[in-house]
Amino acid sequence: MPSTAMNILLINQYYLSDALRHMGHRVEVFFPPETSNPGPHPESLSLEQIVRDKDFIPDLVVVGLMGYRHFVHGLEDCPYPLAAVATDAPLNMFWLAQYLRLFDWVFVDQKDSRDHLLDQGIPAQWLPLSVSRYLVAPPFARPKEHGITFVGHVDEQRLKRQWLLNQVDQHFPLTREGGQGQSRMSVPAMLDLFARSKIVLNEVMFPGMTLRVLQGLASGSLVLAEDRGNGLSDLFTDGEHLALFTPETLRPKAAYYLAHDQERERVAAQGREEVLKHHLSEHRAQTLLKHIAHNPPCRANLPERLANAALAYLHVSQRYPMHEQRLRTMSRRAALRAMEALGTLNGHGDLVRGLACSVLGRLHLDEEQVEHAQHLLTETALLLRSDPLPLLTLARIAENRGHSRQAATLYVSALQRLGQGQTVDLAADLARSGEFGPKLWLAVGNVLLERGKVRDPGFIKARDEEYPSSAEEWFALAARGDSGLEPILALGKSARISGQDDQAALCFARVLEMDPTLHEAALLGSAAAKAAYNPDLARVMQMRALSGLRHEPQHLGQAASL
């Protein structure tokens, strides 16, 4: 850890500020202005401008990456030591995997995100979330006015959460805040509500430890948290600091701790003490600075930084329904970064040129400049010889333009890059025979599924993808062109593999409405619905799987809506 005080600039990052100041460092914090339209803010988000406005030359810049909303210009060639602290990393990995190459040191909030980045050559560190000492409740218990309390968003992308809350609400007193149409609670109001609750319920969109767990523990109430692994049990012990639940144990654990006041308060008090000992912001600040002091900076070279920034901006521009002006701004930025990368190569290799060409090619494709896109993507395919994606994109372009022979050649070449096997042979034979359309798209998706390229992380793209990059997107393309059950069944399987059990259950329910006798869909759907906390839908599907009898389609629809 540095022995002298440093000037530290925090951007989009607040929870380390008090701890760093307490350690004797001079800290400035910058947050971009909030707007109703997420995206870049070119007028105010230049690193150079931030430093000039603060009149503060940093020894270290720490950037909080909490989502896609704010990008700072100038990080690609930042003259200061640069660290990233990424929150909700699994939801943002579709752009973080490129963007984090801009930084000297990388810290992520989830254990498996660290492992994923290490596999890609980014020396990331696991830095779990934390809470401020000032938010930890005093050591005496508050009167418990509420039974079980949940605070969090509920929407169409969080169907599992809705099913879980419905199940709890059917059997226990439940207080809910943050649902659709409700305003966001302030942190003090939320912590006060938690402190007045017997149990704080936590459900997660991805495996790991979320901030709600720590906030619940800090309130002095018992946290009943969904057990999906990924480091949570490394930090806290079930029955000692909190209570963990699965679909099988949710109801019995909730009933037990509501009925046993003394045991509940004992675990809650120990959880609060564990937070005070190991999970405050000061602990994380110490860990961060110690790692920086003992590990040299290791950001990528400038051309690689520019090309990866271009790719990250492109991915963000595709994923969220922003206004068109913001989307164009993101796309222009990606193009500029890519052109800069092409102009500063100086012998740095094919990878950078390939990434830059892929970005420019996709931008031209989105702008319907097909000939330019084909030229750039062809160069990409020649430079990135193991990557099937540019060839698959070129195959789709040829297919859409009615160039069947060219499309077949490109499909076969792309599939050869994915290895050998029966699924590859089936897809290649379909392409050679000119059988384009949903059947071929389904076959390509199955190849990618078999190779582990199931889905891109994070929320779905804003528009239907015509040039897929994952098995899920190929299956969705097939489903749009084929009203049959096979693409829906494939979508259900890919959702199940990627942990999207609620979406998988809905897919299998749709399949069974098309063919109520399909035993495989009933078994898979029952397991998915159970994992997504919809026991009624699971029971209907299980009965169908066991009996083989035809049931009315509305039975599934009613169960899925619960």
Side-chain angles (χ1 to χ4, degrees), residues 63-124:
V63 180
L65 302 174
M66 295 175 281
Y68 68 96
R69 289 178 181 268
H70 306 298
F71 288 107
V72 175
H73 290 266
L75 292 188
E76 297 84 1
D77 50 1
C78 173
Y80 314 109
L82 191 61
V85 177
T87 301
D88 288 347
L91 294 180
N92 296 292
M93 196 56 67
F94 67 94
W95 61 272
L96 285 177
Q98 295 81 40
Y99 196 68
L100 290 174
R101 296 186 187 276
L102 276 59
F103 295 85
D104 295 304
W105 302 278
V106 170
F107 303 88
V108 292
D109 64 331
Q110 302 302 329
K111 187 177 180 181
D112 64 352
S113 297
R114 175 203 62 187
D115 297 341
H116 176 78
L117 292 169
L118 287 174
D119 289 342
Q120 298 196 31
I122 298 175

Side-chain angles (χ1 to χ4, degrees), residues 251-417:
R251 285 172 54 186
K253 283 207 171 183
Y256 176 83
Y257 282 109
L258 284 174
H260 294 80
D261 294 350
Q262 192 171 14
E263 176 71 2
R264 183 184 67 244
E265 294 306 312
R266 178 190 69 80
V267 175
Q270 292 176 173
R272 175 188 170 279
E273 285 301 311
E274 188 69 8
V275 168
L276 281 170
K277 290 179 182 177
H278 300 293
H279 302 289
L280 299 177
S281 299
E282 59 207 58
H283 299 128
R284 302 298 184 255
Q286 291 165 4
T287 299
L288 181 142
L289 291 185
K290 182 177 179 180
H291 176 78
I292 289 174
H294 289 89
N295 293 273
C298 59
R299 72 176 85 172
N301 61 52
L302 179 60
E304 290 178 2
R305 297 199 302 271
L306 291 170
N308 278 283
L311 197 55
Y313 300 145
L314 175 64
H315 287 167
V316 173
S317 75
Q318 293 173 331
R319 196 62 73 106
Y320 293 96
M322 307 176 198
H323 294 169
E324 286 302 312
Q325 182 179 358
R326 296 293 186 190
L327 280 171
R328 286 196 297 269
T329 302
M330 297 290 284
S331 295
R332 281 196 300 270
R333 174 184 286 176
L336 287 172
R337 297 286 82 77
M339 286 189 288
E340 288 182 51
L342 287 170
T344 59
L345 282 177
N346 295 324
H348 283 296
D350 291 346
L351 174 62
V352 172
R353 185 177 291 276
L355 291 176
C357 287
S358 72
V359 171
L360 289 169
R362 183 57 200 243
L363 287 171
H364 282 300
L365 191 57
D366 291 343
E367 294 164 1
E368 299 183 358
Q369 298 173 1
V370 178
E371 287 78 10
H372 290 298
Q374 284 181 304
H375 172 76
L376 288 159
L377 292 170
T378 299
E379 187 172 356
T380 302
L382 292 171
L383 292 166
L384 307 180
R385 294 183 175 276
S386 63
D387 187 357
L389 182 57
L391 288 174
L392 287 172
T393 303
L394 287 166
R396 285 284 298 131
I397 294 172
E399 184 179 5
N400 287 339
R401 304 183 82 183
H403 300 164
S404 300
R405 183 174 298 178
Q406 182 184 27
T409 301
L410 288 164
Y411 269 121
V412 171
S413 297
L415 289 164
Q416 288 173 345
R417 292 188 176 187

Side-chain angles (χ1 to χ4, degrees), residues 97-329:
Q98 295 81 40
Y99 196 68
L100 290 174
R101 296 186 187 276
L102 276 59
F103 295 85
D104 295 304
W105 302 278
V106 170
F107 303 88
V108 292
D109 64 331
Q110 302 302 329
K111 187 177 180 181
D112 64 352
S113 297
R114 175 203 62 187
D115 297 341
H116 176 78
L117 292 169
L118 287 174
D119 289 342
Q120 298 196 31
I122 298 175
Q125 296 295 307
W126 181 28
L127 190 74
L129 296 169
S130 62
V131 292
S132 168
R133 178 181 294 275
Y134 306 110
L135 295 180
V136 180
F140 52 83
R142 298 281 299 277
K144 303 298 183 183
E145 305 167 20
H146 306 281
I148 299 176
T149 291
F150 177 85
V151 177
H153 295 297
V154 178
D155 56 32
E156 64 276 2
Q157 296 206 55
R158 295 173 172 87
L159 189 57
K160 174 173 75 77
R161 177 173 294 180
Q162 181 65 62
W163 288 347
L164 184 151
L165 293 175
N166 288 348
Q167 188 180 159
V168 173
D169 199 24
Q170 289 173 14
H171 299 94
F172 306 104
L174 176 64
T175 300
R176 299 169 59 170
E177 294 288 344
Q180 286 184 316
Q182 292 183 315
S183 59
R184 182 189 294 268
M185 291 189 79
S186 68
V187 172
M190 179 180 64
L191 293 177
D192 179 69
L193 175 61
F194 285 170
R196 292 183 287 111
S197 304
K198 295 179 179 179
I199 293 175
V200 175
L201 180 65
N202 182 67
E203 180 270 350
V204 292
M205 291 187 67
F206 52 81
M209 187 188 72
T210 62
L211 188 57
R212 283 289 187 274
V213 170
L214 291 171
Q215 291 168 330
L217 292 169
S219 75
S221 293
L222 176 77
V223 171
L224 182 60
E226 187 176 12
D227 183 9
R228 295 184 65 187
N230 190 24
L232 181 57
S233 295
D234 294 2
L235 305 173
F236 301 103
T237 301
D238 185 22
E240 183 177 342
H241 306 119
L242 44 57
L244 300 177
F245 70 86
T246 63
E248 294 80 12
T249 62
L250 171 61
R251 285 172 54 186
K253 283 207 171 183
Y256 176 83
Y257 282 109
L258 284 174
H260 294 80
D261 294 350
Q262 192 171 14
E263 176 71 2
R264 183 184 67 244
E265 294 306 312
R266 178 190 69 80
V267 175
Q270 292 176 173
R272 175 188 170 279
E273 285 301 311
E274 188 69 8
V275 168
L276 281 170
K277 290 179 182 177
H278 300 293
H279 302 289
L280 299 177
S281 299
E282 59 207 58
H283 299 128
R284 302 298 184 255
Q286 291 165 4
T287 299
L288 181 142
L289 291 185
K290 182 177 179 180
H291 176 78
I292 289 174
H294 289 89
N295 293 273
C298 59
R299 72 176 85 172
N301 61 52
L302 179 60
E304 290 178 2
R305 297 199 302 271
L306 291 170
N308 278 283
L311 197 55
Y313 300 145
L314 175 64
H315 287 167
V316 173
S317 75
Q318 293 173 331
R319 196 62 73 106
Y320 293 96
M322 307 176 198
H323 294 169
E324 286 302 312
Q325 182 179 358
R326 296 293 186 190
L327 280 171
R328 286 196 297 269
T329 302

